[in-house]
Amino acid sequence: MFRPVLPTVLRQSPSRRLILATARGQRAGLALHLLTGLLLALAEGVTLALVFLAIRQLAGGASPSWWARLPLPPLPASGVFLTLLAAAVAVQGVQSIAQYINQVTLVDLAARCRRQLTQRLQQRILDLSYASVSRYRAGDLIDHLSQGPEAVRLQIQHSGQALLAALLALTYLLILLRLSPWLLLPALGPALAAAWLQRRLVPALGAGARRVSEAQVHVTACLTEQIHTLRLLHTTASYDAAQQVLEQPLARLEACQRRQGRLLELSGPLGAFVPVLVVALIAAVALLVFGPRPAAVLPGLATVMLALQRLNVRLGGLVYHLQQLADNRGRLDRLDGILAAPADVRRRQGGLPFSGLRRGLVLEAVDLRYDPCQPLALQQVSFAIDRGQVTALVGPSGSGKSSIADLLVGLRDPSGGRILVDGIDLTQLDPLSWRARLGV
């Protein structure tokens, strides 16, 4: 069941390293979440054991041997039955409190990690060089800042809930094994069905998640660009054209989401059908194992039915959370794209401090190419600007005025040649102290 999602959970990706680094600062919350999860599993086992003993007492069976050692007055069979039921209810109350604490700690942990991750993503985007970050659409960066932390929150929350569901499912399997190894065979039906479903669905869900993520990014980018150019749209009355541009990305997003939704909803009907089939098998096997004696059949059968029902709920929850982890893979893949940015696309930091211009600027045979596949935007540009000299760059649109300004500010580095500031290469100066002296 876990094998299809293990590459997503265990892979050494930038997003996973960031999640682990963020989680290390939340050790107390993680420890509390794990301890309450173990308490939940223990309380579940104790509750079912008490229910089994209560039903056996009601069916005329003997009281448990440890009952006589309790500091309680002698009780009739009905009193023992009610006491066992009250103890089961009390343990269930403790379990409910533990479950609330377990879920609250997980939600708090995810919220803290989201806040910290949003700050880290903002810092990562700001650390990229202007030449690198300008290749992104504004919608892409907005999507990274909104969907990246959400992807991490979902990964943490569904991983924690999947672990809890697995612990509880293991508890029910151990109870069935304790009652009788033979009862475990039909109880494996839901588990095998869930494993089969996961093996078939998870790869398709992962691929579908990537398609949905890409389609959402395209739609967000189109909308962001149109919002940024509202003045132009109104000026040119290009309303119909704007709608047509968005129509195809929206249609693709709808198709991807519908296909992904069909896959995600497959587990529900199967999870509802399998227990009904297994109940009949359980009843038949219980009759064979315990025989026709009511005192032996009734407690075991009732406990098995209750354990099976809860096992099915936990397996259904486990399948759901594993599917959500697979569905989250597309968001994490996009997050890895910006977290794995190489060092050469990050903004330059440090260098020689600049206190003021003494002699002037010199451009020596400067070339500029925005992309390796595009022609040169500037080619062999050379001129000098002395200190105190006023120089105007004039020319038609596209002649390179803004490109020269970007080079002088230091937003881009020349593809060839160099820019000298008082004889020092501009790339050797501290960008912060240089730009602090500029008026743009």
Side-chain angles (χ1 to χ4, degrees):
M1 181 186 301
F2 297 97
R3 186 176 179 181
V5 297
L6 284 179
T8 301
V9 178
L10 300 179
R11 60 178 181 167
Q12 291 292 335
S13 63
S15 59
R16 180 177 179 272
R17 289 194 293 269
L18 185 57
I19 291 172
L20 292 177
T22 306
R24 288 190 192 101
Q26 308 294 335
R27 292 187 182 91
L30 285 173
L32 182 59
H33 177 72
L34 180 59
L35 289 175
T36 51
L38 294 174
L39 179 60
L40 272 170
L42 177 63
E44 192 70 20
V46 172
T47 299
L48 289 180
L50 292 172
V51 169
F52 173 80
L53 294 174
I55 297 176
R56 188 174 71 173
Q57 186 72 23
L58 185 65
S63 300
S65 58
W66 48 265
W67 183 264
R69 296 193 294 270
L70 295 178
L72 294 174
L75 294 174
S78 59
V80 175
F81 170 74
L82 293 176
T83 303
L84 290 171
L85 280 186
V89 171
V91 173
Q92 191 65 35
V94 173
Q95 182 185 6
S96 299
I97 295 173
Q99 183 175 6
Y100 175 76
I101 297 174
N102 181 271
Q103 296 301 316
V104 167
T105 54
L106 187 61
V107 170
D108 287 349
L109 175 65
R112 291 192 196 101
C113 290
R114 182 188 178 110
R115 175 179 62 83
Q116 294 177 7
L117 187 63
T118 300
Q119 294 172 334
R120 293 191 183 189
L121 276 178
Q122 180 198 28
Q123 186 62 46
R124 176 55 61 93
I125 291 174
L126 294 177
D127 283 344
L128 294 175
S129 67
Y130 176 77
S132 174
V133 79
S134 62
R135 298 191 185 105
Y136 290 90
R137 294 180 175 182
D140 288 348
L141 297 176
I142 293 173
D143 184 78
H144 276 301
L145 287 172
S146 60
Q147 294 299 320
E150 178 66 9
V152 171
R153 184 192 69 80
L154 291 174
Q155 193 74 8
I156 293 173
Q157 199 156 335
H158 287 297
S159 296
Q161 291 171 344
L163 176 61
L164 176 60
L167 284 174
L168 292 175
L170 180 61
T171 301
Y172 305 132
L173 289 175
L174 291 175
I175 291 172
L176 293 171
L177 182 63
R178 176 66 180 84
L179 289 172
S180 172
W182 295 103
L183 293 178
L184 192 60
L185 294 178
L188 288 176
L192 294 175
W196 176 85
L197 192 63
Q198 284 298 298
R199 189 174 183 84
R200 298 297 186 277
L201 280 184
V202 167
L205 285 171
R210 284 188 287 271
R211 288 192 292 267
V212 169
S213 180
E214 292 171 359
Q216 287 175 333
V217 170
H218 195 183
V219 169
T220 302
C222 289
L223 289 172
T224 303
E225 289 178 358
Q226 290 184 8
I227 291 173
H228 286 173
T229 58
L230 279 177
R231 181 184 180 89
L232 179 62
L233 290 177
H234 283 284
T235 302
T236 59
S238 303
Y239 312 115
D240 294 338
Q243 291 177 345
Q244 291 174 2
V245 167
L246 193 60
E247 184 175 349
Q248 185 175 356
L250 283 175
R252 181 170 178 266
L253 176 60
E254 179 188 357
C256 293
Q257 287 178 328
R258 291 175 64 180
R259 185 174 185 275
Q260 190 77 343
R262 293 189 183 103
L263 291 175
L264 286 170
E265 296 302 323
L266 275 177
S267 60
L270 184 61
F273 169 75
V274 171
V276 177
L277 177 63
V278 173
V279 163
L281 296 175
I282 287 286
V285 172
L287 185 62
L288 293 175
V289 171
F290 295 112
R293 296 166 296 165
V297 174
L298 183 59
L301 185 59
T303 306
V304 165
M305 295 303 181
L306 182 59
L308 178 64
Q309 184 270 334
R310 294 199 173 190
L311 173 64
N312 181 66
V313 171
R314 298 306 178 183
L315 285 177
L318 180 60
V319 169
Y320 169 76
H321 295 305
L322 292 179
Q323 287 179 347
Q324 293 302 311
L325 289 173
D327 188 52
N328 198 40
R329 186 182 300 177
R331 301 184 188 93
L332 290 178
D333 288 343
R334 274 189 48 76
L335 181 60
D336 287 338
I338 197 166
L339 291 178
D344 59 352
V345 301
R346 299 177 187 172
R347 62 183 172 89
R348 200 161 29 87
Q349 300 185 41
L352 300 174
F354 177 76
S355 58
L357 189 65
R358 294 180 175 81
R359 298 195 303 274
L361 303 173
V362 177
L363 277 71
E364 294 183 347
V366 169
D367 296 336
L368 179 63
R369 191 189 302 272
Y370 286 101
D371 189 271
C373 301
Q374 295 179 352
L376 288 171
L378 296 175
Q379 186 172 9
Q380 296 295 299
V381 175
S382 299
F383 63 85
I385 303 177
D386 295 331
R387 182 176 183 273
Q389 178 182 347
V390 177
T391 303
L393 299 177
V394 296
S397 178
S399 61
K401 302 183 299 297
S402 298
S403 298
I404 293 175
D406 287 348
L407 290 172
L408 292 176
V409 173
L411 297 179
R412 299 181 184 275
D413 293 332
S415 304
R418 59 179 184 168
I419 302 174
L420 301 177
V421 180
D422 292 336
I424 302 173
D425 196 311
L426 180 58
T427 59
Q428 297 179 12
L429 296 179
D430 173 37
L432 296 181
S433 62
W434 167 250
R435 291 168 192 167
R437 297 280 179 170
L438 300 179
V440 181

